[in-house]
Amino acid sequence: MSEKKLTWQEAVLFLKDLGITSIHVHYEGSGDSGSITDVEYYTGENGETVHFKHDLNISDEMHQKLIDLCYPMLDDIEDWYNNDGGYGFINIDLDKLHYHISNNIRYTEYETYTHEGSIHDLSEE
C-alpha cells in the first residue's frame, strides 16, 4: 500500500497549528543532481523567529512530506541542477498563501590564451 501524500491544504493547516507564518526552503544542485538542503520555519507576526524541525517537534516523516511538496515548484524554473548548477530558496507565506522563488544559476566563465614559439629559442638552465 502506498503512503498518502500530503496536500498543500493539509500542510498549511498543520504548519499554522504550530504557529508557523512562513517557511524558507533552501535548495542546491550541480552535476545533474540537486536537492532541498534545509527548511526554516518562521513564527511571529512578521516571521521574525526562525525554527528548525527539531525545535517544533516536527517528525522526520512530516518534514520530508513538506519537502516533497516543494520539489514540483522547482520543476518549471531555470535549470538549477545540471552542469554548474544553481541554488536558491523558496519563501512561502502561509497567511497570504503565496510563494516566491529566488533562483541563482551558476556558470563558469573562462578566457583562452595561446602562445607559440620555437623550442630552439628556449634556453636550458
Side-chain angles (χ1 to χ4, degrees):
M1 178 181 266
S2 65
E3 188 175 314
K4 182 181 179 272
K5 286 187 172 185
L6 187 68
T7 67
W8 271 110
Q9 286 177 321
E10 293 167 332
V12 169
L13 290 173
F14 171 79
L15 293 168
K16 285 184 141 196
D17 281 348
L18 293 174
I20 297 168
T21 56
S22 64
I23 61 174
H24 192 90
V25 180
H26 300 265
Y27 61 90
E28 174 97 28
S30 68
D32 301 334
S33 68
S35 64
I36 290 174
T37 58
D38 197 14
V39 179
E40 298 168 341
Y41 301 92
Y42 289 84
T43 59
E45 204 170 293
N46 296 312
E48 65 271 357
T49 306
V50 63
H51 305 276
F52 297 93
K53 69 178 182 173
H54 58 274
D55 298 330
L56 300 167
N57 293 321
I58 297 174
S59 71
D60 290 342
E61 178 185 0
M62 180 56 87
H63 181 73
Q64 187 59 52
K65 285 182 176 186
L66 292 166
I67 287 172
D68 292 343
L69 272 178
C70 295
Y71 276 110
M73 299 168 83
L74 300 173
D75 285 346
D76 294 326
I77 66 171
E78 303 81 14
D79 188 358
W80 58 274
Y81 54 85
N82 282 314
N83 303 315
D84 292 339
Y87 64 97
F89 59 85
I90 306 168
N91 279 332
I92 301 172
D93 184 321
L94 298 173
D95 292 328
K96 295 178 183 174
L97 301 177
H98 181 264
Y99 70 89
H100 171 85
I101 299 173
S102 180
N103 189 37
N104 302 286
I105 301 298
R106 290 187 194 95
Y107 62 92
T108 301
E109 187 176 299
Y110 62 90
E111 296 180 21
T112 302
Y113 300 91
T114 61
H115 306 276
E116 295 182 33
S118 169
I119 58 172
H120 294 296
D121 295 337
L122 299 175
S123 64
E124 291 187 32
E125 296 179 27

